[in-house]
Amino acid sequence: MKIFKRILLILFVILAVAVYFNFPKLNFISGYASKNMASTVFLTNRSAESVVLNDNDVPLINLADVETDGKSATASVFGLMERKAICREGLGCTLVNKDYDPNTKIPVPQRLINDNNLAFPYGDKEAKDTVFANVDYDQLQKAMDQAFTNNEVQKTRTVLVAHKNHIIGEKYLDGFSKDTPILGWSMTKSVLATLYGILEHEGKLDLNKPVLLAGWEKDDRKKITLNHLLRMQSGLAWDEDYTSISDVTRMLFMDPDMTKAQGEKEAIAAPTEVWNYSSGTTNLLSGILRKQFKTHQEYINYPYQALIDKIGMSSMLMETDMKGNFVGSSYAWANTRDWAKFGLLYLNKGNWNGEQLFDSSWVSYVSEPTILSDGTYGGHFWLNANGKYPDVPRDLYSANGYQGQRVFIVPSKDVVVVRTGLAEDPDFDINLFLKNVLAAIK
């Protein structure tokens, strides 16, 4: 009995120490667990059990206990720091604070989803079998199959390869299909940036004009332009650390208005003097985007009417924060085929079935290396200009998201590759995967 009591005491002390040192993180842990549970169940119809065993099985996050009713989720850690996420049709799910007023009305997107009876990518009908002589389909299948081997480590969920606007291969993990929405995480940044390319093409803004937010006119921030923000070289302070209570975790899991945090930061350097990846910058751009419209409804409609529904990404939904701002840094959902359509829009240089959504020069803009990014970053897209993937063409650029969500665009091969999952380098070897896929396309 004495030994048993000693063991209990030791376990209690270990638990108490763990809670003490991680208490500041409980807000983040509960917030992540409840938000991820609510969105996944609400938007994909997957089971809560599946989310617990897979999506929320992340160190610290798996400490949270989560309950859901399908339209909301509540999480806590050992009964502490309870957080709730609520879901709304057309807007997705959002974390709420204690002062949340359920009577607050956020406009719902007025979507223009059309069944145009066209084949992929311009519609959702199955295309007729098209066999390309330059594609080794057996080799391609092996490359895709390899992405799913040892899947307790690689954790691949979906893979799609498109060549010359045709799907030449796709594969799905059990429980996922061509219709299952996938959270893009930071791939959302590339979607948000594309709206600026469209506005520029429409002649509605100048990327090189100073932004001049309130309070910026008194210091170096008065020189910051949209171009600086799109290239993550504004010089604004920002801590993108997901392992602690930092700028990014406070914004995503505590702020009711996520567009404000970055704009309130001081300048630590003049524009272009530093490169600093920042989710706050993208959400600041979301707030600036809202200012381009007279009404909240016009802002809510714009991503869908100008881009998402325009190219038939009917499964895509961009979630908002408590104040009705798009969380452009992190929260767009779409099925794998619709993520591929986004890549194909870029592969086709902004032309979609004869309509030019953004100027072809926009592709050059987003894929041009940004100063001080070591050739890894352009305009809200990641690059291979420095040969990060040594066995892959240098002209590859991509939309990247947490845990290996990727839309790869390879102009020299006329290829788009989509891969989604719960792991990335080194557990999922991106260079080897792309090398094997592209080797099948001569």
Side-chain angles (χ1 to χ4, degrees):
M1 180 62 74
K2 289 182 178 179
I3 294 175
F4 179 69
K5 288 182 177 179
R6 287 176 181 174
I7 292 173
L8 284 179
L9 179 60
I10 291 171
L11 290 175
F12 176 78
V13 170
I14 291 173
L15 179 61
V17 170
V19 170
Y20 176 79
F21 282 105
N22 288 292
F23 188 79
K25 298 180 182 179
L26 297 189
N27 213 328
F28 158 56
I29 295 169
S30 297
Y32 183 109
S34 59
K35 167 67 176 66
N36 210 32
M37 174 67 78
S39 292
T40 305
V41 173
F42 183 65
L43 297 175
T44 76
N45 292 318
R46 289 176 50 219
S47 70
E49 292 76 14
S50 174
V51 178
V52 170
L53 292 173
N54 297 284
D55 307 69
N56 280 2
D57 187 21
V58 179
L60 293 184
I61 305 303
N62 53 18
L63 296 176
D65 294 317
V66 192
E67 296 181 357
T68 180
D69 61 8
K71 291 188 177 180
S72 68
T74 303
S76 64
V77 183
F78 308 124
L80 303 172
M81 203 66 78
E82 184 176 277
R83 296 298 307 276
K84 183 176 183 178
I86 57 98
C87 304
R88 300 165 291 186
E89 290 292 337
L91 299 172
C93 307
T94 185
L95 281 169
V96 295
N97 297 332
K98 291 181 179 180
D99 60 352
Y100 170 67
D101 181 359
N103 295 316
T104 301
K105 299 296 182 183
I106 304 295
V108 176
Q110 298 169 341
R111 303 200 58 172
L112 302 172
I113 299 175
N114 296 315
D115 184 0
N116 58 19
N117 206 36
L118 297 176
F120 180 92
Y122 303 122
D124 293 316
K125 302 298 181 183
E126 294 292 333
K128 295 180 180 178
D129 289 341
T130 300
V131 178
F132 294 104
N134 64 313
V135 177
D136 185 331
Y137 288 90
D138 290 338
Q139 185 174 350
L140 178 62
Q141 187 63 51
K142 289 179 182 178
M144 292 191 300
D145 290 345
Q146 188 177 39
F148 289 83
T149 60
N150 191 22
N151 219 31
E152 290 186 358
V153 175
Q154 293 203 108
K155 297 184 179 181
T156 298
R157 287 179 158 175
T158 74
V159 166
L160 183 149
V161 183
H163 178 49
K164 297 181 179 179
N165 285 342
H166 289 267
I167 297 173
I168 58 173
E170 59 185 329
K171 185 178 175 71
Y172 297 89
L173 184 69
D174 288 346
F176 292 80
S177 73
K178 63 181 178 62
D179 299 314
T180 306
I182 303 289
L183 175 57
W185 289 107
S186 287
M187 294 202 299
T188 311
K189 290 179 171 70
S190 301
V191 176
L192 191 283
T194 302
L195 300 174
Y196 277 88
I198 295 172
L199 283 169
E200 182 189 47
H201 180 63
E202 294 173 341
K204 295 179 179 177
L205 53 77
D206 180 355
L207 297 184
N208 294 309
K209 184 178 179 180
V211 174
L212 283 180
L213 296 184
W216 283 16
E217 67 279 353
K218 299 177 182 180
D219 51 48
D220 274 351
R221 294 179 296 179
K222 65 178 177 290
K223 302 175 183 177
I224 297 173
T225 65
L226 291 173
N227 172 58
H228 297 137
L229 296 172
L230 287 165
R231 294 193 170 279
M232 301 289 186
Q233 55 175 190
S234 66
L236 294 173
W238 187 262
D239 182 12
E240 188 87 3
D241 180 2
Y242 289 88
T243 65
S244 66
I245 298 300
S246 65
D247 292 333
V248 69
T249 54
R250 275 192 293 269
M251 177 187 70
L252 289 176
F253 303 107
M254 300 178 195
D255 289 355
D257 184 340
M258 298 189 200
T259 69
K260 291 184 176 181
Q262 180 70 98
E264 294 172 349
K265 292 292 182 179
E266 65 178 358
I268 59 173
T272 74
E273 287 187 355
V274 296
W275 180 83
N276 185 32
Y277 182 79
S278 163
S279 290
T281 290
T282 308
N283 287 334
L284 172 58
L285 284 166
S286 179
I288 295 170
L289 179 70
R290 183 168 172 174
K291 297 178 186 297
Q292 308 304 307
F293 303 95
K294 294 180 180 179
T295 67
H296 196 177
Q297 183 70 64
E298 289 176 289
Y299 163 75
I300 289 290
N301 289 345
Y302 189 73
Y304 297 98
Q305 294 182 358
L307 172 63
I308 297 170
D309 293 342
K310 182 82 73 171
I311 68 172
M313 291 194 293
S314 56
S315 71
M316 179 169 277
L317 185 142
M318 293 180 67
E319 294 181 292
T320 65
D321 62 19
M322 278 181 61
K323 299 298 183 181
N325 304 296
F326 289 114
V327 186
S329 66
S330 314
Y331 295 148
W333 297 74
N335 65 42
T336 302
R337 289 189 174 186
D338 282 352
W339 281 117
K341 290 178 184 179
F342 179 68
L344 288 170
L345 174 65
Y346 273 87
L347 196 61
N348 291 317
K349 297 185 177 181
N351 189 286
W352 195 255
N353 202 20
E355 182 178 359
Q356 198 70 37
L357 272 63
F358 51 75
D359 195 84
S360 60
S361 63
W362 176 258
V363 177
S364 300
Y365 172 78
V366 301
S367 58
E368 178 185 355
T370 295
I371 296 172
L372 300 180
S373 73
D374 191 28
T376 64
Y377 204 76
H380 266 53
F381 280 80
W382 292 89
L383 315 180
N384 194 41
N386 71 341
K388 177 181 180 179
Y389 308 126
D391 299 310
V392 179
R394 295 291 183 98
D395 67 341
L396 175 146
Y397 61 106
S398 59
N400 292 9
Y402 173 56
Q403 294 182 317
Q405 319 317 313
R406 298 289 189 273
V407 176
F408 297 106
I409 303 152
V410 192
S412 58
K413 286 280 192 174
D414 202 356
V415 165
V416 164
V417 180
V418 179
R419 183 270 179 182
T420 73
L422 294 177
E424 50 194 314
D425 281 328
D427 294 325
F428 181 79
D429 190 332
I430 291 175
N431 178 70
L432 180 62
F433 167 64
L434 290 173
K435 174 186 176 182
N436 291 340
V437 167
L438 296 176
I441 304 165
K442 309 302 180 184

